[in-house]
Amino acid sequence: MAFQHHHLYLITPSATPSFAKPIHHLTNLLQPTHHSPTMAMAFKMATTGMWVTDECKNSFMEMKWKKVHRYIVFKIDEKSRLVTVDKVGGPGEGYNDLAASLPDDDCRYAVFDFDFVTVDNCRKSKIFFIAWSPTASRIRAKMLYATSKDGLRRVLDGIHYEVQATDPTEMGFDVIQDRAK
């Protein structure tokens, strides 16, 4: 199978909105993997060497603009060094479905589109980023997820709030409601 040239975006630690800068001639540096043909774009998190697949960005944009997903769960594949979509919740699913989809013994990232009505009777939507790092997860996984979090957040443009949780009580629906006020 021939290796195809892909455009890659390196995430640099910058305060400017234009955090992604194109890198064009990296074909010789890349090792083809079974993910390469499906990866039209990838986003690299510079500090950890992790790559965010275009599926992550595209799913997030579909959730944000088209409202086709209520939540997305992301995971890091340590062997391929890719952040991928683990699970997507349909528009009819709720916060309890998201919480139930998180493993008891491994870390994950998640985004949740919280819709609510204000006291002025206005419909609003806020996107929450959840960093799930349960106590029972491996120390290596906790460190990897902690150091990769900011890079993923920069790729997922439009997050309003962040919740870090080590057990379900730290990310209960009441926490989400209180933060959105």
Side-chain angles (χ1 to χ4, degrees):
M1 169 171 68
F3 181 66
Q4 300 172 350
H5 177 74
H6 299 289
H7 287 93
L8 302 176
Y9 291 81
L10 175 65
I11 295 177
T12 58
S14 169
T16 62
S18 59
F19 58 84
K21 298 182 170 82
I23 302 173
H24 296 289
H25 302 290
L26 288 181
T27 306
N28 58 343
L29 298 176
L30 297 175
Q31 299 297 319
T33 67
H34 63 280
H35 298 289
S36 296
T38 61
M39 196 168 35
M41 243 189 310
F43 297 88
K44 182 174 185 197
M45 294 184 279
T47 57
T48 61
M50 289 292 157
W51 294 86
V52 179
T53 63
D54 59 332
E55 178 190 19
C56 295
K57 175 99 173 166
N58 293 341
S59 295
F60 180 76
M61 294 310 259
E62 287 174 350
M63 181 182 84
K64 181 178 169 182
W65 297 111
K66 297 179 183 178
K67 303 290 186 185
V68 296
H69 312 303
R70 174 65 62 198
Y71 65 86
I72 306 166
V73 178
F74 304 100
K75 72 176 181 177
I76 296 176
D77 182 328
E78 291 183 35
K79 289 183 182 177
S80 66
R81 304 195 61 81
L82 291 173
V83 178
T84 61
V85 172
D86 186 35
K87 181 172 178 11
V88 176
E93 293 189 55
Y95 190 75
N96 290 334
D97 299 309
L98 164 63
S101 71
L102 297 173
D104 294 332
D105 60 351
D106 201 6
C107 301
R108 292 291 188 271
Y109 302 118
V111 286
F112 178 70
D113 189 4
F114 177 58
D115 293 327
F116 61 100
V117 178
T118 66
V119 292
D120 301 333
N121 207 25
C122 295
R123 291 185 56 95
K124 294 240 179 182
S125 177
K126 298 289 182 186
I127 297 177
F128 282 80
F129 180 89
I130 300 167
W132 173 246
S133 183
T135 307
S137 58
R138 294 176 300 123
I139 295 207
R140 177 177 167 79
K142 289 179 187 180
M143 291 174 57
L144 185 60
Y145 275 79
T147 57
S148 302
K149 179 183 63 143
D150 289 339
L152 178 61
R153 280 210 51 187
R154 283 193 297 270
V155 170
L156 305 177
D157 187 36
I159 292 171
H160 299 102
Y161 301 104
E162 179 177 325
V163 175
Q164 295 185 30
T166 59
D167 69 66
T169 61
E170 295 175 345
M171 57 171 274
F173 192 65
D174 56 328
V175 173
I176 300 297
Q177 287 176 313
D178 288 345
R179 294 286 300 273
K181 288 182 181 176

